[in-house]
Amino acid sequence: MDFNVKQIDARHARLATSKAGELEEPPLLEDLGIDLGQIKRKILSIIGFKQTNKEIVEDADLAGPLMVVVILGTILLLQGKFHFKYIYGYGLTGSLCVFGLLRYSLGPSHTPSLYTVISVLGYCLVPFTVLAVVAAFTPMDNLYGAVMSVGIVCWSTLAATKFIVGTLMVPNKKVLVGVSVLAFYSCFLLATLF
């Protein structure tokens, strides 16, 4: 999120030139810097394995991941599982661990920012919401549930690896990034859904 002095001055100019005491305030989402179109593009690129450009990946935000986490927690809550503490706690500590592993293995010059890592890992939880919806209607303690869980973990891992490697512009490090992300999503699956 980039706060530009010109944008802030333009907002204040709009407020100052309003008609007869009527305030022309920008919409709340615009004022908070939340771009729903950008969130939609990121989620669709995760769902459809679409090619992402570098601007989408580098424009890290926490509004989309927070929305995904709240939806996931709500779906689990409707199943009678109160796992918000696991989702938030493991999500943050796991993101810190993935960031630390990337920083240690890739070096400080090739590591994305912590904010970007949290954003990417949060957005790539979208397949887990699909799994949570399916788990609400079918039992997951059989072969079908195990295969679907492994597929969801692989889907999230591939999407997050694609995003992170796209940010780094080092294509020869896909396996290194993928292993740390795979560990994160595997543990996240066990901690939150089962």
Side-chain angles (χ1 to χ4, degrees):
M1 193 172 346
D2 205 9
F3 290 109
N4 191 349
V5 176
K6 292 179 184 177
Q7 291 174 342
I8 294 172
D9 288 340
R11 286 183 187 162
H12 289 290
R14 273 197 315 238
L15 291 173
T17 59
S18 61
K19 301 183 257 175
E22 182 181 310
L23 293 177
E24 284 187 28
E25 294 183 8
L28 180 61
L29 291 178
E30 180 185 325
D31 200 27
L32 293 174
I34 298 173
D35 185 7
L36 291 177
Q38 186 79 345
I39 293 172
K40 179 182 172 184
R41 282 190 293 277
K42 286 182 181 182
I43 289 175
L44 288 177
S45 67
I46 291 167
I47 291 173
F49 288 110
K50 293 181 180 177
Q51 186 67 26
T52 59
N53 57 5
K54 191 173 180 178
E55 295 87 35
I56 289 178
V57 177
E58 286 182 347
D59 184 28
D61 66 308
L62 292 182
L66 186 62
M67 196 167 41
V68 170
V69 165
V70 167
I71 290 170
L72 178 63
T74 304
I75 292 169
L76 292 174
L77 184 63
L78 292 175
Q79 295 176 20
K81 300 175 184 176
F82 191 71
H83 289 303
F84 282 103
K85 60 183 174 185
Y86 297 119
I87 294 171
Y88 290 122
Y90 187 74
L92 284 176
T93 56
S95 296
L96 287 171
C97 289
V98 169
F99 174 74
L101 284 171
L102 291 175
R103 187 167 176 88
Y104 178 72
S105 57
L106 298 175
S109 62
H110 293 295
T111 306
S113 67
L114 176 62
Y115 194 71
T116 303
V117 170
I118 292 173
S119 176
V120 167
L121 293 177
Y123 270 112
C124 291
L125 286 174
V126 169
F128 282 88
T129 60
V130 173
L131 182 65
V133 169
V134 171
F137 298 109
T138 60
M140 298 300 285
D141 57 351
N142 53 22
L143 181 64
Y144 170 74
V147 169
M148 186 164 185
S149 297
V150 168
I152 292 296
V153 167
C154 291
W155 182 4
S156 293
T157 300
L158 289 173
T161 303
K162 180 181 73 167
F163 273 124
I164 292 172
V165 170
T167 302
L168 298 175
M169 294 296 179
V170 284
N172 56 350
K173 302 291 185 180
K174 282 183 183 178
V175 175
L176 188 61
V177 172
V179 168
S180 60
V181 173
L182 177 68
F184 170 75
Y185 285 124
S186 298
C187 294
F188 193 86
L189 176 78
L190 294 174
T192 59
L193 295 179
F194 293 109

